[in-house]
Structure formats: structure tokens, C-alpha cells
Amino acid sequence: MKSVGILGASGSIGKSALDVIDLHSDRFALTFVSVHTNLKVLEEIVSRFCLSHVLVTDDKALQEARRRFPHIHVYSADDMSEFLRGFPVDIVLNAIVGTAGLVPSMTLASCGRDIALANKESLVCAGELMMEAAKRSGSRIFPVDSEHSAIWQCLNASPGQRPEKLYLTASGGAFRDMNREEIARADARRALCHPNWSMGSKITIDSATLINKGLEVMEACWLFDMTPEEVEVLIHRQSIIHSMVQFEDGSIIAQLGTPDMRLPISYALSYPHRLKNDYPRADLLSVGTLEFSSVDHRRFPGLSLCVEALKEGGDRPMVLNVANEWMVEKYLEGKAGFYDITDWIGRSMDRIGKIEQPSLQELLERKEVVRDFLEEYFV
Ligand code: NDP
Ligand code: MG
């Protein structure tokens, strides 16, 4: 029996993870969850899994949760780091969205916990600090992002062999078949219609801008110790090949499956074992053709912005990430256009002075600096 904690249990990944744990209740025991605001989902989880420890990270929701659940331990955002260090658990899934996931990831990596990592933003913002902390403490980071899970599975097929190249596949997002003028006019409602995956709103917008793929290039470089030049992005509209590894003999190994996040979540929780399930199988005959094409950087400038931030290093990926989060929020609210997102990420990176070797504290302080900049200048 493996004990599991889930941070961000009320989100899209969180709910898929609860399904996996439910299906394999003979192997996994859920011992705690966090939610930010969604107490309705929390209530269901508490009764479905008989939980006695939960975290509620939003202050207002916390007060209400303490009233609603007087019989269990309800911890706050301020308690989170101490709780994660002290609570005995075999593996923690970090499925919080955005930079809010950074401190929990760093805490888990510093105290030697196994982490199933969905929150790519933490590696993007603090990849170097996090990988160093994990190395020092013995913490293992198991990727949940489907592309990285695919690469990890391909690498596990040839243990100890350094890959020559990684191919990250991308569906192309909601606007893949539209021209630049149409994309410029399209609102968030349209961007939220992802052709293949059902996900939270922030990552669905990130898929439309291809920023998501850029964040994934950064994530892949940290997880698998690759340079940006060794990672190639391919548009693969069927989302059947989740990513590929090319070895030094020229062989390419791919991982295929349906676009269903329960598969990578299962593998991260059960590694090195594969668990039987009855989820729908990929029907290759009905898929028929697997297509690949290159990224159109004119329509989707987000990917090169990310690669640039990664190459520049220091606090640049954090600045990019915070600016992206802020701009995505504005786009979702209808207060920014689609290309404002990448334009204002570029401006933030140009105008905000660089810190070369930021500490975690300095990285966290960048949040306010970037937000202040955007609040002052973005109109
Ligand atoms: P969702 O928006 O569906 O869920 C986000 C979760 O984070 C919710 O539980 C939410 O709580 C919680 N949350 C939001 N803000 C905060 C905060 N400030 N502090 C603490 N918790 C917070 O996101 P997804 O599940 O789609 O994505 C989660 C992560 O996984 C992201 O980093 C994403 O990039 C990554 N990922 C997601 C994939 C997917 O298929 N969805 C695929 C690959 C990676 P509440 O709802 O209670 O307010
Ligand atoms: Mg992904």
C-alpha cells in the first residue's frame, strides 16, 4: 500500500488522480489533499476517501472550511511547508496550477519526498534550485505531464543510455488551423475549445499560444538534463504519440496512447509498475494517419520566447512565467487580445532588469515586480 497526498485535488489533474486512486484502492491510500477555493469538491473527497487531514490555501475558503469540517484537521497555506515536511506520506502529486505550486515543490524536493509533478511551472521557474535540492535530499521527481511521462517511459526502455535528442509533440492548440488575423480576433471562449485534451483553463490557453510547449521544453531540459538545442517540438495533431526519444544509434522510441491524463498519473504513482485498467484504448486503425509538421513561429511566437528565456537563464523563466500568468488571466477576462499575451511577455523580459543567480526568495519577489510592471503599463 502506497500513501499518496494530492495538492490541487479540485482541479482537472487532481480529479483524474482521484479516479486512478479509486480504481486502485488496493494499492493506494489517499492521506491528504489541498484545494484552494473549491469546498464542494473538497466535501466530496473528504467523504469519498474518509480523509482526516486537508489543506485549504485560500484565506476566505479556509474560514468556511474550518466551520464546515469541525471533525477533521484543516491546515492553511501558511501551514503548508511545515505540514509537507512533517506528514508521513510515500508520494505527493503536485497538481496546483501556476507559480503557486513553486514553494510546495521546493519544500517536497528539499525534504526527500517522491514527487509526482504535474505543476510544470515550478521546474520552469526554479529548475536549477529544484533539481539541486532533489539531488541533495534524494527526492525523486516523476513527471506527470504527458510528454515528459512519454520521454521517461522511452528512456526506461534503454536504461543508462543518454538520448541524442527529444521530440516533444504538440497538438497545436485550438488555433492551429487559423491564420494570424483570425487568431488575433479570437476570444478566450474559442481558445478554450482544445481539439484533443480536456484540461484546466490556464493550460488550455497556454496550449493555444504554444507557451505550454515552451514551458515543456524548459521542463524537459531540467528533468532529462538536455540543452534547448537537443529538444525539438513537432506539431502532431492526432495527440497519439505523446513524445519520442532518439538514441545515439539513430533509433527513435515513441510512447503512444489515448490523450487521457489518467495514464501518466498512474505511471508516476505506480512506477516502476504498470497498473491494469479498462480505460479506452487507442484505436490506431481508426486514427489511420499520424502527421507531423513544424511550428509556425509567426503565428505562435510563444515557443521561441520560452526558449530564449531558458537560454538566458537566471530569473528570465520566472519573469516569463509570471507575465504569462497575468496576461492569461486578462485574456480570460476579455481584457486582453491573444497576441497581447506574447507581446507583453516580451516587454516584461525586455524592461525588467535581470537577476543572474536568483535565490528562491528573489524568484518569489519577482512576482510582485512583474505584476506591478504590467499593472502600470498594460492598458
Ligand atoms: P486546474 O485549473 O484544473 O486546477 C488547479 C488546481 O490548483 C485546483 O485544485 C485549484 O484549487 C488549485 N489552485 C489554484 N490556485 C491556487 C493557489 N493560488 N494556491 C494553491 N492552489 C491553487 O489546473 P489543471 O489541473 O489543468 O493543471 C494543474 C497543473 O498541472 C498545471 O501546472 C498544469 O500546467 C499541469 N498539467 C495539467 C494537465 C491537464 O491535463 N490538465 C496536463 C499536464 C500538466 P481550487 O479549484 O480549489 O480553487
Ligand atoms: Mg503536456
Side-chain angles (χ1 to χ4, degrees):
M1 208 59 169
K2 206 181 224 185
S3 54
V4 182
I6 302 180
L7 303 177
S10 45
S12 162
I13 291 285
K15 287 178 187 163
S16 296
L18 293 170
D19 280 355
V20 169
I21 290 172
D22 224 3
L23 181 66
H24 301 289
S25 54
D26 53 330
R27 286 180 173 264
F28 301 124
L30 185 69
T31 53
F32 70 84
V33 297
S34 87
V35 303
H36 192 52
T37 54
N38 197 332
L39 298 186
K40 188 166 173 286
V41 169
L42 180 62
E43 192 158 11
E44 285 161 23
I45 300 172
V46 166
S47 72
R48 183 169 157 203
F49 294 92
C50 299
L51 288 187
S52 49
H53 297 269
V54 300
L55 297 115
V56 178
T57 45
D58 176 75
D59 283 344
K60 212 166 123 217
L62 173 72
Q63 303 313 321
E64 170 64 18
R66 287 192 164 142
R67 268 194 299 277
R68 252 205 241 181
F69 311 110
H71 52 293
I72 63 170
H73 300 278
V74 182
Y75 303 90
S76 69
D78 291 341
D79 302 327
M80 168 109 65
S81 292
E82 198 185 329
F83 177 86
L84 292 177
R85 272 194 289 269
F87 195 86
V89 66
D90 293 319
I91 187 163
V92 179
L93 167 65
N94 185 355
I96 290 174
V97 64
T99 32
L102 173 53
V103 171
S105 282
M106 279 300 296
T107 306
L108 293 165
S110 321
C111 70
R113 287 268 182 269
D114 282 352
I115 311 170
L117 188 67
N119 179 267
K120 63 189 88 186
E121 292 91 343
S122 42
L123 266 185
V124 164
C125 297
E128 192 170 353
L129 295 177
M130 205 172 140
M131 295 311 285
E132 272 171 16
K135 203 168 163 189
R136 265 199 309 274
S137 72
S139 161
R140 296 183 296 175
I141 303 175
F142 300 142
V144 166
D145 214 345
S146 59
E147 295 76 4
H148 306 75
S149 174
I151 290 167
W152 181 37
Q153 294 179 55
C154 296
L155 291 172
N156 290 341
S158 292
Q161 297 285 316
R162 195 181 188 280
E164 184 174 78
K165 189 171 181 177
L166 306 180
Y167 290 101
L168 283 187
T169 54
S171 67
F175 297 156
R176 62 190 184 186
D177 296 322
M178 287 161 59
N179 66 37
R180 203 182 143 98
E181 291 64 41
E182 289 167 333
I183 296 173
R185 284 195 303 271
D187 62 12
R189 203 177 29 86
R190 291 188 71 185
L192 285 171
C193 300
H194 195 284
N196 302 346
W197 295 91
S198 155
M199 309 182 285
S201 55
K202 192 249 176 191
I203 185 175
T204 308
I205 303 300
D206 287 351
S207 299
T209 56
L210 284 200
I211 293 274
N212 181 51
K213 213 43 58 178
L215 302 182
E216 290 183 355
V217 171
M218 303 197 212
E219 189 185 5
C221 288
W222 289 116
L223 281 173
F224 307 113
D225 193 20
M226 302 295 279
T227 64
E229 293 77 18
E230 292 169 326
V231 182
E232 185 172 338
V233 174
L234 295 175
I235 303 293
H236 165 53
R237 41 194 308 127
Q238 290 79 16
S239 295
I240 292 291
I241 295 186
H242 297 309
S243 277
M244 300 178 266
V245 173
Q246 181 171 303
F247 288 97
E248 286 173 328
D249 62 354
S251 285
I252 298 175
I253 311 280
Q255 187 261 343
L256 287 74
T258 52
D260 181 341
M261 286 309 294
R262 290 174 303 182
L263 306 182
I265 292 169
S266 268
Y267 190 66
L269 294 181
S270 64
Y271 170 79
H273 307 290
R274 288 184 184 277
L275 303 183
K276 190 175 164 65
N277 63 48
D278 58 0
Y279 306 149
R281 289 349 190 193
D283 178 356
L284 294 178
L285 278 181
S286 76
V287 175
T289 311
L290 299 177
E291 296 162 280
F292 305 99
S293 58
S294 55
V295 173
D296 177 349
H297 293 280
R298 208 183 82 79
R299 285 187 302 145
F300 303 107
L303 175 59
S304 6
L305 275 174
C306 292
V307 172
E308 192 187 313
L310 174 63
K311 286 182 177 165
E312 285 187 27
D315 68 346
R316 298 297 87 178
M318 180 78 183
V319 169
L320 173 139
N321 195 71
V322 176
N324 180 51
E325 249 172 71
W326 198 90
M327 289 307 302
V328 167
E329 240 176 78
K330 294 289 162 224
Y331 182 58
L332 284 167
E333 291 165 5
K335 295 179 181 156
F338 185 78
Y339 287 114
D340 284 333
I341 300 176
T342 38
D343 285 351
W344 283 88
I345 292 174
R347 273 178 209 135
S348 307
M349 286 184 12
D350 287 345
R351 305 259 195 94
I352 296 171
K354 184 179 176 189
I355 304 179
E356 290 291 349
Q357 289 279 324
S359 63
L360 179 60
Q361 192 49 38
E362 284 171 320
L363 282 176
L364 294 172
E365 285 164 8
R366 288 328 248 170
K367 277 196 197 182
E368 220 168 296
V369 173
V370 176
R371 285 181 192 159
D372 286 352
F373 168 78
L374 289 168
E375 249 149 45
E376 185 168 353
Y377 294 104
F378 176 74
V379 275

